[in-house]
Every structure is written in structure tokens, then in C-alpha cells.
Amino acid sequence: MDQIENRLTKLALNGDQQAFAEIVELYKDKIYHLGYRMLSNRHEAEDVVQETFLRVFKSLDRFDPNQKFSTWIYRIATNLCIDRLRKRKATYSLDADMNDQEGLDGYSLIPSDDRTPESELMISETKQIIYDAIESLPAKYKSVMILRYLQDLSLQEISDVLGMPVTTIKTRVHRGRDFLRKKLEPKL
């Protein structure tokens, strides 16, 4: 993957629009999932994807080829999500309905194999409880927990994305887990 990234990045830096289109194809779903997990709104996640690629395109000449491209693009997307979370902080409500989901979450749209309706309900309720707990995290813990556990990034990659020392990332992961544990123990 790194070799493909490097090749596409070099071509895009030289003005190859097809290479940039391939970069978009490689990352659009990953960036969307990151945005959706952080913002809990598919429209905002779609906006973050578009804005991320606009910023990447505009600042491609400032990309350091000694860095991993994935780290750079995740940093841009994460910062955009954090900015959006900060802007809506005043109207943020933990128990508000998700208007764009009509009472459904993404997990309820996944077809089941041999699960019973009862087990589906339990799984759905458990996922919603966990989702609500993640939603209640302060932004500085939320971004780290999403990047670590939902995007499967290493501590070093998260450090690179957020521009923080690995020790800070470890502390935030630890505190985020403690926060989630306290929230989830009485419910699960």
C-alpha cells in the first residue's frame, strides 16, 4: 500500500489528475467512516470527505514525501472533525435523536446471517449503549478512541495524525477507556 501511495502521490504532485482521482478512491471510504464516527452525522461526514480532499488538493505541494501520506490525510480529516465538534459544542446534546438516521444506526442495516430477532435486539441495544458512551467522550478523548479502536491506527500513527507525543496519546487512550468503563459498567 505504501508503494502505491508513494507512486500516486508523486504523480499527483506532478499534476496527474488521474493519480489524484485514485488517491480519492483509496481514501474516501476511510475518511467518511472516520468522519461519521466522530461526528455521528452522515451529511457532516460527507462534507468532511469533500473538504479533506479539497485541502489535500490545494496543499499537495506542501506534503512532505518523507511522511506517510495516510498519516497526513488522516490528520487533515481529524482536524476538520474536531473543528466541527468545537463549533457545535454549544448545541450538542447527548440524548438528542439522530435526525438523519430515522431511529436507525449503521449496524441495523447490516443483514444478519442466523441471528434471532431477540439477539439482534440485544446486539443493537448494546451497540447503541456503546455508541452513546463514545459520543459522551470529550473531543480530545473521542478522536483518540475512534482512531485507535474504530480505525485501528497504532499509537504512533495517532501521534502523527494529531501531532502529539505518543505518551500523550497513551494517556488519552487510558483515560478514554476509564471514562468508557465508568459509563458502561452500570449499563452492561
Side-chain angles (χ1 to χ4, degrees):
M1 181 73 159
D2 288 344
Q3 292 175 346
I4 295 171
E5 271 181 16
N6 291 339
R7 183 182 58 80
L8 290 174
T9 306
K10 285 177 186 173
L11 290 171
L13 279 167
N14 292 326
D16 187 334
Q17 291 181 353
Q18 182 60 36
F20 187 77
E22 288 182 44
I23 290 172
V24 171
E25 279 302 311
L26 268 176
Y27 284 100
K28 70 179 183 180
D29 291 337
K30 294 174 184 178
I31 300 299
Y32 173 81
H33 290 294
L34 171 70
Y36 183 78
R37 291 294 180 191
M38 288 188 72
L39 301 169
S40 304
N41 181 299
R42 68 181 171 91
H43 298 298
E44 281 191 286
E46 290 167 355
D47 289 347
V48 165
V49 171
Q50 288 181 346
E51 198 168 337
T52 297
F53 287 113
L54 280 173
R55 289 201 183 176
V56 166
F57 185 77
K58 288 179 182 177
S59 58
L60 199 55
D61 58 330
R62 288 182 271 159
F63 170 67
D64 179 4
N66 297 325
Q67 268 189 326
K68 282 183 67 175
F69 185 80
S70 60
T71 301
W72 186 62
I73 196 167
Y74 272 123
R75 178 182 296 150
I76 292 170
T78 301
N79 288 340
L80 287 169
C81 290
I82 289 171
D83 288 346
R84 284 178 176 264
L85 286 171
R86 284 185 186 137
K87 286 178 185 173
R88 72 178 183 187
K89 189 110 178 150
T91 59
Y92 187 75
S93 173
L94 295 176
D95 56 354
D97 290 333
M98 293 173 36
N99 295 333
D100 64 324
Q101 295 299 314
E102 300 174 7
L104 299 176
D105 63 6
Y107 299 110
S108 64
L109 302 175
I110 298 172
S112 65
D113 36 36
D114 61 349
R115 295 181 182 153
T116 65
E118 293 83 15
S119 68
E120 282 292 318
L121 179 62
M122 269 183 52
I123 290 169
S124 178
E125 287 174 350
T126 302
K127 286 180 181 177
Q128 188 61 46
I129 290 168
I130 294 169
Y131 177 79
D132 291 343
I134 291 172
E135 279 299 301
S136 69
L137 286 170
K140 65 182 181 179
Y141 300 131
K142 185 177 182 179
S143 61
V144 170
M145 297 301 281
I146 289 171
L147 290 170
R148 178 73 177 123
Y149 294 107
L150 299 178
Q151 295 293 324
D152 289 327
L153 295 183
S154 71
L155 295 175
Q156 183 61 53
E157 288 173 320
I158 297 169
S159 169
D160 295 341
V161 166
L162 297 178
M164 296 177 188
V166 174
T167 54
T168 303
I169 300 301
K170 286 180 183 178
T171 301
R172 289 189 179 184
V173 166
H174 178 73
R175 289 182 182 163
R177 270 194 246 138
D178 285 346
F179 187 89
L180 287 175
R181 188 178 304 113
K182 289 174 186 170
K183 281 281 198 187
L184 294 173
E185 276 180 352
K187 296 178 181 178
L188 295 178

